[in-house]
Amino acid sequence: VYRVTDVGVQRISARPARSLLRDRRGRLWIGMADGLYRLERTGLTRRWPLGEEPAQEARWLAEAPDGQLWFATAYDGLRRYDPVSGRVEAVRAQRNLDASLPENSASALMIDHGGMLWVGGQLRGVAVTDLRGARFVYAVDDTGSRRTAYDGDSVRALLQDAAGALWIATDEARLLRYDLASARFEDMSEHLPRGAAGGPLRVAALAPAPDGGLWLGSFGGLLWMDPRTLRVRAVELGAHGRPGIRSLRTARDGSLWIGTDQHGALHYR
């Protein structure tokens, strides 16, 4: 974990971080291989798990409108954490309960403009639930674009655009748009540039652009997309060219932070 300022870079921790979240009070939460941490003046303090509970990975942090934190574990479902009381509630898949969490291995979390929690799984696609306790509803891919019965179910990234549509990037190099009003998917993969193997570039990260567009972080560099016209263009990153991109984050000033495979963190203005 590093703190980047105008005067330099300070390393906070040498341990790998799985996820970062700055909450509405300005506090920084870090998901690591052995739990959830918060950055204090004295350094990192583990907030979960505590006591005799075994250490678990915390990743894909998201803050709900009520201030509760949601995050995924590696293979043990989700957790809802109350930063005030420290209370933790486990949410797991239950085979004999209809409309429970679809699977225990989540690969993406997002809370949309209306406060609904979207969960992208590694096997069963996307599900959504009302954070007040309603059942999970599965979003079923009806595009007919899967190559096999299981193709396209491993979700890599989720993003809601300014118009309210949900964008989903999968590990099978598909880019889907989900319309909440009609509950229908559209496969937008054909609009992506082609990769070295001839298929569409695999997108691993999504972020909003200040002009209403979408930033797409792919294994073949940075892309910008107009969600209205579906026009896509490649963005060169100077001497770094078109690196493999794993993560994107839009800053408050509209600039873009980029996590790459081999070039570290880049700042695009």
Side-chain angles (χ1 to χ4, degrees):
V1 179
Y2 294 84
R3 177 186 285 117
V4 181
T5 67
D6 293 336
V7 297
V9 178
Q10 176 190 4
R11 188 166 72 175
I12 303 300
S13 172
R15 300 171 56 209
R18 300 290 192 265
S19 183
L20 298 175
L21 173 71
R22 186 175 184 268
D23 68 18
R24 66 192 64 189
R25 296 180 60 183
R27 299 172 300 189
L28 184 66
W29 298 84
I30 301 108
M32 291 188 165
D34 62 343
L36 177 67
Y37 287 75
R38 191 170 73 192
L39 180 61
E40 314 283 0
R41 291 183 179 180
T42 56
L44 298 181
T45 302
R46 190 162 76 173
R47 311 300 294 184
W48 174 88
L50 300 176
E52 297 181 357
E53 187 176 357
Q56 290 196 64
E57 180 179 342
R59 56 186 179 182
W60 303 110
L61 305 176
E63 184 181 19
D66 61 1
Q68 303 283 298
L69 301 185
W70 286 79
F71 58 92
T73 63
Y75 302 104
D76 193 35
L78 308 180
R79 296 293 186 274
R80 178 167 57 186
Y81 176 81
D82 185 340
V84 177
S85 67
R87 183 175 180 270
V88 180
E89 178 183 355
V91 179
R92 300 184 178 93
Q94 300 182 53
R95 183 176 302 177
N96 298 322
L97 179 63
D98 291 339
S100 71
L101 182 66
E103 59 183 289
N104 284 325
S105 52
S107 54
L109 291 183
M110 185 200 74
I111 295 175
D112 69 16
H113 302 162
M116 303 287 282
L117 174 68
W118 293 83
V119 182
Q122 294 183 9
L123 298 172
R124 301 190 62 186
V126 179
V128 60
T129 186
D130 187 325
L131 292 174
R132 292 170 295 185
R135 294 179 174 184
F136 281 88
V137 176
Y138 306 156
V140 179
D141 176 7
D142 55 2
T143 62
S145 60
R146 298 185 187 183
R147 290 179 289 274
T148 71
Y150 298 98
D151 191 30
D153 281 338
S154 179
V155 176
R156 177 55 54 187
L158 296 170
L159 177 70
Q160 188 175 29
D161 66 21
L166 182 70
W167 292 80
I168 305 162
T170 79
D171 280 328
E172 290 73 25
R174 295 201 305 158
L175 181 65
L176 305 175
R177 181 169 65 184
Y178 182 74
D179 181 71
L180 275 68
S182 63
R184 297 296 299 272
F185 282 92
E186 296 176 86
D187 194 333
M188 301 299 179
S189 309
E190 65 181 35
H191 300 283
L192 297 172
R194 302 293 100 177
L201 283 176
R202 177 179 163 190
V203 174
L206 301 166
D211 56 6
L214 303 177
W215 291 115
L216 314 179
S218 80
F219 285 9
L222 180 64
L223 308 173
W224 176 89
M225 182 178 199
D226 185 333
R228 294 156 295 189
T229 66
L230 304 180
R231 181 172 64 91
V232 179
R233 61 177 172 86
V235 179
E236 295 289 342
L237 297 174
H240 302 286
R242 299 182 181 182
I245 295 175
R246 293 284 184 174
S247 59
L248 297 172
R249 181 62 59 91
T250 304
R252 285 178 289 181
D253 63 2
S255 62
L256 184 69
W257 287 91
I258 305 167
T260 72
D261 281 335
Q262 297 179 335
H263 296 260
L266 305 179
H267 194 195
Y268 180 77
R269 299 177 184 271

